[in-house]
Amino acid sequence: MYFRSKYDWWLTILIVAAIIALILSAVENFPSVLSYVLIGISILMGWIFFGTGYWLLEDRIIIKCGPLQWTVILSEITSVRPTRNPLSAPASSVDRLEIHHKKGSVLVSPRNKLQFLQLLKERSPHAQISIKS
């Protein structure tokens, strides 16, 4: 099942403003190498921010963030807890879940957090998962 990332309104405004500023700078410097670089950066920023989501499959979670991808094996998950950790992560909101697994941890921000947690609890019953949202 696919879960879109939750988006914080203030973070969305910040990212969209940065993309617009980059595009305006590119137009101002057109045609130059700098303009193409700025357009590329703006496309990449939009892809990363708006292309973030989570595939919760039978045996794994596939985390997509633009061109980047992580896989977490459900049998390796030890715990999941809510967090507001602002560190860089494949999450478009600071309303996040920290998924601890045998190889580390990852922060995600599914829009429908309760449904995500319920499904994760069903598919990973050995993990300590709090359904409280």
Side-chain angles (χ1 to χ4, degrees), residues 5-69:
S5 181
K6 180 178 181 178
Y7 296 97
D8 287 340
W9 66 269
W10 61 271
L11 189 54
T12 303
I13 290 171
L14 183 69
I15 295 295
V16 169
I19 291 170
I20 290 170
L22 286 170
I23 291 171
L24 291 176
S25 293
V27 168
E28 185 178 299
N29 291 298
F30 193 81
S32 70
V33 173
L34 178 61
S35 64
Y36 293 110
V37 169
L38 293 173
I39 289 171
I41 291 170
S42 64
I43 290 169
L44 184 60
M45 282 178 64
W47 187 13
I48 287 171
F49 187 74
F50 294 107
T52 299
Y54 320 102
W55 285 98
L56 184 48
L57 305 175
E58 291 299 320
D59 64 338
R60 68 191 67 223
I61 303 170
I62 298 174
I63 301 163
K64 299 277 291 177
C65 184
L68 307 173
Q69 180 174 306

